[in-house]
Amino acid sequence: MIVFDILLGIGLILAASGVFLSAQLFRSVVLFVVFGLLLAITWTRLQAPDLALAEAAIGAGLTGVLFLDTLGTLRKAKHKRHRKKETHS
Amino acid sequence: MSRSLRIAAAGIVAFGTLYALILAVLNAPQMQVNLPQQVALNLEQSGIDHPITAVLLNFRSYDTLLEVAVLLVAVVTGLALRERDALTAHTEQARDPMLHALTRRLLPLLLITSVYILWSGSYAPGGAFQAGALVAAAGVIARLAGYDIASRADVLLRLGLALGFILFLTVAVSAMFGGRPFLNYPEGWAGSLIFLIEAVLTFSIGLTLISLFVHAPGDSSPRGGDDDD
């Protein structure tokens, strides 16, 4: 089990640094959700199933959905602005 | 300031903080009170069999009450930021039959799971926040599939948002009429009162999270999509 724990810790650090270092926002969001799920597993390993439930549902699930929603909105706004620029010029 | 100098400064600060944290962990003072033992000793009085729910809704219920208040303030702020005309924009959507069928089968399953999690909170991991998150997940799925539940019942939604906090506060204050301290449950009623509060809180928390998602400022709002240039 100690191997699994070490792998889990390494995975957490990798996912967290991926969230900050990746250039694409979409990849950051996906890695954020991955990070949340890994953290939920970590909480269960630390014998805190209540926290694990909350983390999986709110941290990974709902926050990820909100981030994706924001990304979609940003993308739409960018498209609109591009189209406006093209029609003006 | 040059780039390498800045990186060096950031590195020194980061390692200094790390060193201070390691020192703090190594020299941590001994616990004066054994909190898990205290909880285990008083668990019978709390009316709940699960220690974490007992802490959240009985021993430290003041914290939970304030947490619910913070959520309510957050969603009121979110409602103030939403756009007025966005609600009608999304209602007319062509429904995919597959999506329709999947949503219709998923939603009851999610709601039943959330009721189970709420119920199991009294003796196993679970409780109002987790169950509320599941209700919210059901709402988000319904919203993504094109069902606009939240904007159909605007007044009801607002009432539901505040209901959990109102009930919690009512129970907390009503103890004072009997000459008991604030947030003290009457003898023998603690278990059922906690369950009632949790059930209504689940509903309110679910609605809060749904409306934070549904009423998020969209692309037609003046602030939406102001990223670069």
Side-chain angles (χ1 to χ4, degrees):
Chain A
M1 234 27 203
I2 188 81
V3 180
F4 179 73
D5 288 347
I6 291 170
L7 281 180
L8 202 57
I10 294 173
L12 269 177
I13 294 172
L14 281 182
S17 49
V19 170
F20 283 103
L21 296 178
S22 76
Q24 292 174 324
L25 282 179
F26 181 73
R27 187 180 287 177
S28 282
V29 172
V30 171
L31 279 172
F32 178 81
V33 173
V34 169
F35 175 78
L37 291 176
L38 283 178
L39 194 57
I41 299 174
T42 312
W43 285 128
T44 39
R45 285 292 300 145
L46 291 171
Q47 284 154 12
D50 290 80
L51 267 180
L53 270 177
E55 174 64 34
I58 299 177
L62 275 173
T63 318
V65 166
L66 277 175
F67 275 143
L68 283 178
D69 191 43
T70 314
L71 265 191
T73 305
L74 286 178
R75 218 164 266 172
K76 252 189 235 162
K78 221 176 226 174
H79 268 290
K80 245 185 212 168
R81 216 174 298 142
H82 274 295
R83 243 181 275 150
K84 255 185 208 167
K85 267 180 201 162
E86 276 165 20
T87 46
H88 278 298
S89 58
Chain B
M1 213 194 269
S2 73
R3 188 180 158 82
S4 55
L5 208 63
R6 257 191 292 177
I7 290 176
I12 289 171
V13 171
F15 278 105
T17 315
L18 186 67
Y19 181 66
L21 279 176
I22 289 172
L23 272 189
V25 168
L26 287 181
N27 298 329
Q30 283 292 316
M31 277 279 211
Q32 298 294 323
V33 191
N34 191 352
L35 283 176
Q37 201 187 5
Q38 290 273 318
V39 170
L41 282 179
N42 293 308
L43 195 59
E44 274 186 27
Q45 293 173 25
S46 71
I48 287 282
D49 292 336
H50 187 51
I52 289 174
T53 312
V55 169
L56 279 180
L57 279 143
N58 200 332
F59 302 142
R60 304 285 306 172
S61 47
Y62 195 51
D63 295 12
T64 311
L65 179 68
L66 289 185
E67 256 172 49
V68 175
V70 166
L71 264 183
L72 187 62
V73 171
V75 78
V76 166
T77 316
L79 283 177
L81 283 175
R82 74 174 162 172
E83 334 133 58
R84 226 155 266 137
D85 50 345
L87 298 176
T88 49
H90 297 288
T91 40
E92 303 292 321
Q93 261 182 12
R95 266 179 209 148
D96 190 342
M98 281 295 282
L99 191 63
H100 182 73
L102 184 68
T103 324
R104 261 183 37 191
R105 277 159 184 74
L106 261 183
L107 289 190
L109 204 65
L110 271 171
L111 290 179
I112 288 175
T113 316
S114 112
V115 171
Y116 166 71
I117 294 234
L118 167 70
W119 178 246
S120 75
S122 48
Y123 59 87
F129 278 89
Q130 286 89 342
L134 274 179
V135 173
V140 167
I141 286 178
R143 182 75 185 80
L144 291 178
Y147 298 91
D148 209 349
I149 306 166
S151 58
R152 257 183 223 164
D154 210 35
V155 182
L156 266 182
L157 177 80
R158 283 163 201 224
L159 198 68
L161 290 177
L163 197 64
F165 184 62
I166 291 172
L167 183 88
F168 205 159
L169 203 60
T170 313
V171 172
V173 171
S174 63
M176 294 169 87
F177 287 115
R180 298 165 151 277
F182 184 61
L183 268 173
N184 192 317
Y185 303 111
E187 207 85 24
W189 281 83
S192 27
L193 271 180
I194 285 176
F195 185 72
L196 176 71
I197 290 175
E198 278 208 301
V200 181
L201 272 187
T202 301
F203 180 65
S204 284
I205 289 169
L207 276 186
T208 303
L209 295 175
I210 292 174
S211 46
L212 276 179
F213 176 72
V214 171
H215 296 312
D219 45 288
S220 58
S221 84
R223 278 176 298 278
D226 252 0
D227 43 358
D228 38 24
D229 57 31

